[in-house]
Amino acid sequence: MIKNLFSGTLAQVRFILRRDRIRIPAWLFGVVGMTVLCVPLLNNMFGTPEELAAMGEMMQNPAMIAMVGPVYGLENYHAGAMYTNFMLVIMALFAGAMNIFLITRHTRQDEEEGRLEVIRSLPVGRLSNLAAALLTAVKVNVVMALLTGFGMAAFQIENMPLGGSLLFGAAMGAAGLVFAGATAVFCQISSNNRTASGLSLLFLMGAYLLRGIGDVSAEALSLLSPLGLISRAQVYVGNYLWPIFVLLAGFAALVLLALLFAKTRDLGQGLIAARPGRRHGGLLLSTPPGLALRLSRTALIVWAGVLALFGLMYGSVLNEMDTFIEGSDMLQTMFAAGHMDGVSYTEQFVGLLMVIMSVIGAIPIVGFMLRVRSEEKNGCTEQILGASVCRYRLFGSYFGIALVASVVF
């Protein structure tokens, strides 16, 4: 009986890898590349014991702890401890996002767009699609962990041995798998892809906020977050394996829960039924701008919260920026030109921060405009244009939302 439920799983894994032959390598290139290439960059920026000591002092600031996690190894704050403290939680966030999009794309999105119904018409098991998506996530995270570990160790930096580097990659992969498992559960609970993605991203941000609150005030709260657990591995300092095993056990529990839910629910439905809408749409939905705003509402709220969170995190360390830069010869060299012109280090940092935030803020704007294409691909645009709606007005509605959002963000 159990064998029949998973019939055809491996064939669907190959199918997923074939479909995402560009998408998965692109994600791995971005996440692994950013993790690995930052090793020599940060090592060059903080290469002396004095600069590392200054970095350690800054990392003890409650705002920095809330942003990137607690500080370990201060009695001998070396390059490995500094890099882990600065990068592990941030890169685990990207790994979590990668897993969320991977699972939703090959489960709830395929189900919503009718592809899973075609697959189910073949001799495959009821749980094979979900199992295939989760097995693909396991493979992707294992590859990510190995590439990260060996890539970081390839620079042969002192106090960053191969064992610690592999533990760094394993921490990223284990955290990513937990978010994959949680996403699989949300895909069974919700009745559409938009809700499943929103709940999964909310879980990701909630885990980050819970870790931040716990690291600053109550460690027990941080241990409830996957991002808080990976910090307790103390990579390059203590090199503890127990957080990895806890995360893998959590992933296994979430997988079992998702499979149980998938076995009991109907195709195309969620365990929690979608709330029935009103019989007649309001006045706002009778216009293309109103419809575009309604479809983009969730993304607008989520991205506004994300950008506000980034602003709070960066703003909380501005008071310490002058002191921090003055303690590093490398950073003083980087900011020397502006400082000679009478501009403070903090003002120069704000200028650099504006560039970074502009890039991050451009992501949702591009997403809003791409929704025009996705709505057309799903056949929804055809129904709108079948009425007395000008295609320029429809396109202009999304463009107007993106334009206003770019100013507000």
Side-chain angles (χ1 to χ4, degrees), residues 13 15-32 98 102 105-106 133 136-137 139-141 143-144 147:
V13 170
F15 179 55
I16 291 174
L17 293 175
R18 177 68 176 81
R19 285 178 59 194
D20 283 1
R21 62 189 181 278
I22 296 177
R23 190 183 300 264
I24 290 177
W27 267 107
L28 289 175
F29 179 80
V31 175
V32 175
M98 176 185 71
L102 174 65
R105 170 175 164 80
H106 295 289
T136 303
K139 290 184 177 182
V140 170
N141 282 277
V143 171
M144 178 186 67
L147 290 176

Side-chain angles (χ1 to χ4, degrees), residues 254-380:
L254 289 169
V255 168
L256 290 176
L257 185 62
L259 291 173
L260 178 63
F261 287 167
K263 185 176 181 298
T264 57
R265 72 178 181 86
D266 293 330
L267 182 67
Q269 302 296 320
L271 291 179
I272 299 178
R275 186 179 63 181
R278 291 182 295 180
R279 184 179 298 272
H280 302 287
L283 181 62
L284 186 64
L285 290 178
S286 64
T287 62
L291 177 61
L293 181 61
R294 177 63 181 83
L295 293 174
S296 305
R297 182 182 63 181
T298 302
L300 284 169
I301 295 173
V302 170
W303 275 104
V306 169
L307 292 173
L309 178 61
F310 271 104
L312 288 172
M313 290 190 304
Y314 284 119
S316 62
V317 299
L318 288 181
N319 290 333
E320 305 290 336
M321 192 52 57
D322 278 337
T323 303
F324 175 56
I325 294 178
E326 288 170 359
S328 172
D329 294 336
M330 174 66 71
L331 291 179
Q332 288 186 51
T333 302
M334 291 172 58
F335 289 95
H339 195 64
M340 291 174 61
D341 294 334
V343 181
S344 68
Y345 291 132
T346 300
E347 291 172 329
Q348 294 176 71
F349 178 76
V350 170
L352 177 62
L353 183 61
M354 289 177 63
V355 176
I356 298 174
M357 294 298 291
S358 297
V359 174
I360 297 175
I363 297 175
I365 306 305
V366 174
F368 295 148
M369 294 307 302
L370 289 177
R371 185 178 289 277
V372 179
R373 173 58 180 166
S374 65
E375 292 292 319
E376 181 179 353
K377 183 179 178 181
N378 294 334
C380 299

Side-chain angles (χ1 to χ4, degrees), residues 137-174:
V138 171
K139 290 184 177 182
V140 170
N141 282 277
V142 169
V143 171
M144 178 186 67
L146 293 175
L147 290 176
T148 299
F150 285 110
M152 293 172 63
F155 291 103
Q156 299 182 347
I157 294 175
E158 187 179 2
N159 296 311
M160 296 184 71
L162 176 60
S165 299
L166 288 174
L167 181 58
F168 189 104
M172 287 176 54

Side-chain angles (χ1 to χ4, degrees), residues 43-362:
N43 186 61
N44 290 333
M45 291 178 63
F46 308 100
T48 66
E50 293 78 13
E51 290 171 339
L52 286 171
M55 186 68 170
E57 289 295 326
M58 181 183 178
M59 286 298 181
Q60 295 182 74
N61 186 304
M64 290 300 299
I65 293 176
M67 187 186 301
V68 297
V71 187
Y72 296 106
L74 272 176
E75 61 280 359
N76 180 26
Y77 202 62
H78 49 71
M82 180 271 296
Y83 185 82
T84 299
N85 189 199
F86 197 78
M87 292 292 294
L88 180 57
V89 171
I90 301 300
M91 298 316 303
L93 277 173
F94 285 103
M98 176 185 71
N99 282 274
I100 288 172
F101 294 131
L102 174 65
I103 297 298
T104 54
R105 170 175 164 80
H106 295 289
T107 54
R108 175 52 69 180
Q109 183 176 342
D110 278 355
E111 190 170 341
E112 189 173 308
E113 295 182 358
R115 284 190 287 267
L116 185 55
E117 186 175 358
V118 176
I119 294 175
R120 285 278 190 94
S121 66
L122 302 172
V124 299
R126 182 182 182 88
L127 302 180
S128 60
N129 173 256
L130 178 59
L134 290 168
L135 279 177
T136 303
V138 171
K139 290 184 177 182
V140 170
N141 282 277
V142 169
V143 171
M144 178 186 67
L146 293 175
L147 290 176
T148 299
F150 285 110
M152 293 172 63
F155 291 103
Q156 299 182 347
I157 294 175
E158 187 179 2
N159 296 311
M160 296 184 71
L162 176 60
S165 299
L166 288 174
L167 181 58
F168 189 104
M172 287 176 54
L177 284 176
V178 171
F179 291 112
T183 302
V185 173
F186 290 133
C187 286
Q188 311 313 310
I189 293 175
S190 59
S191 57
N192 59 73
N193 180 55
R194 187 176 292 117
T195 303
S197 300
L199 289 174
S200 302
L201 292 173
L202 186 62
F203 177 75
L204 177 65
M205 296 309 300
Y208 181 77
L209 290 175
L210 185 64
R211 178 214 56 81
I213 295 171
D215 286 342
V216 173
S217 59
E219 185 176 3
L221 292 177
S222 186
L223 294 177
L224 297 176
S225 167
L227 300 177
L229 277 172
I230 60 174
S231 296
R232 272 63 188 177
Q234 297 187 25
V235 181
Y236 298 122
V237 178
N239 288 332
Y240 299 126
L241 292 175
W242 67 264
I244 309 300
F245 294 135
V246 172
L247 290 172
L248 292 179
F251 169 66
L254 289 169
V255 168
L256 290 176
L257 185 62
L259 291 173
L260 178 63
F261 287 167
K263 185 176 181 298
T264 57
R265 72 178 181 86
D266 293 330
L267 182 67
Q269 302 296 320
L271 291 179
I272 299 178
R275 186 179 63 181
R278 291 182 295 180
R279 184 179 298 272
H280 302 287
L283 181 62
L284 186 64
L285 290 178
S286 64
T287 62
L291 177 61
L293 181 61
R294 177 63 181 83
L295 293 174
S296 305
R297 182 182 63 181
T298 302
L300 284 169
I301 295 173
V302 170
W303 275 104
V306 169
L307 292 173
L309 178 61
F310 271 104
L312 288 172
M313 290 190 304
Y314 284 119
S316 62
V317 299
L318 288 181
N319 290 333
E320 305 290 336
M321 192 52 57
D322 278 337
T323 303
F324 175 56
I325 294 178
E326 288 170 359
S328 172
D329 294 336
M330 174 66 71
L331 291 179
Q332 288 186 51
T333 302
M334 291 172 58
F335 289 95
H339 195 64
M340 291 174 61
D341 294 334
V343 181
S344 68
Y345 291 132
T346 300
E347 291 172 329
Q348 294 176 71
F349 178 76
V350 170
L352 177 62
L353 183 61
M354 289 177 63
V355 176
I356 298 174
M357 294 298 291
S358 297
V359 174
I360 297 175

